[in-house]
Amino acid sequence: MRKYIAEFLGTFMLVGIGTGSIVYSAASTQSPLTVALAFGLALAIAIYTFGPISGGHFNPAVSLSMAIQKRLTWVDFGGYIVAQFLGAIVASAAVYGGVAAYLKSSTVSTALSGQTMTVSQFVSYVGLGQANYATGERLNAFAFEFVLTFLFVLVISIVTKLTNVPAPLVIGLFLAVLIIVALPITGGSFNPARSLSPAIFVGGKALKHLLVYIPAQLIAGALAAFAANYFNKTSEEKAVKA
């Protein structure tokens, strides 16, 4: 149970801090670097904190890859998936709940020039940090999420096997870099739980786009497992020969 609670809390941190950085900067100038660092640093801190307990996945695509690599049992995989999706959904609910207070802030009041906006109007107009892509760009969105999720999960699978590398920091910084690249195209999700949770509250087009995001991310995670097995096996063989 400790492992599942750790995955819940870590995913809550990742999604809550990451999407919160998008939602609560909507009334001011939003920097891709700020959003990327929010996600990346939140992930690094979560892995440092909960990694010793659960391995620090916080992402169904990562857990799927680890299960295929036999670094996670399929029973635990099921528990991790439930914990991750619940953590993400609760995080999006918390971000949604904070919108009312945000609308009363001086930043929003200045941006609206004294006019008022309801929570539902704000979420309808700004969103809740959901990943998104432009109309007609389905194939490009699938390709971006697939390729970058593959690279992300592959890096995780390799660096977590290395003892002389600060894996949480590498993983967090790599996520930040990938988000900077993908933010204008897909929003840079690379995580089915992060894709689903804000879309549940926003609905509409965001829910339809899950048919692109979630398959791309899970297929990429699965394929990354086989690539990681190849590279890790090669590294182990070289170590034995040395």
Side-chain angles (χ1 to χ4, degrees), residues 2-149:
R2 288 172 65 248
K3 294 182 291 187
Y4 304 146
I5 294 173
E7 285 295 307
F8 173 91
L9 292 174
T11 309
F12 177 89
M13 288 173 59
L14 172 64
V15 175
I17 294 172
T19 60
S21 72
I22 299 172
V23 174
Y24 302 143
S25 64
S28 54
T29 303
Q30 194 177 87
S31 166
L33 180 60
T34 301
V35 173
L37 287 177
F39 275 104
L41 291 177
L43 179 58
I45 293 168
I47 296 174
Y48 271 120
T49 304
F50 300 111
I53 300 169
S54 68
H57 298 179
F58 318 131
N59 183 335
V62 173
S63 295
L64 176 61
S65 181
M66 293 300 179
I68 293 173
Q69 294 175 64
K70 298 181 179 179
R71 295 170 63 180
L72 180 71
T73 68
W74 287 106
V75 172
D76 277 341
F77 169 73
Y80 275 39
I81 295 299
V82 172
Q84 290 158 0
F85 277 112
L86 285 176
I89 291 169
V90 173
S92 289
V95 173
Y96 188 97
V99 169
Y102 178 61
L103 290 175
K104 296 177 182 177
S105 69
S106 58
T107 302
V108 176
S109 297
T110 301
L112 293 176
S113 301
Q115 298 180 4
T116 60
M117 178 181 285
T118 66
V119 171
S120 60
Q121 287 174 331
F122 178 87
V123 173
S124 177
Y125 180 69
V126 174
L128 209 63
Q130 72 273 15
N132 222 335
Y133 60 85
T135 302
E137 294 297 320
R138 180 179 298 179
L139 289 178
N140 285 336
F142 185 95
F144 259 79
E145 285 294 312
F146 173 81
V147 172
L148 298 187
T149 302

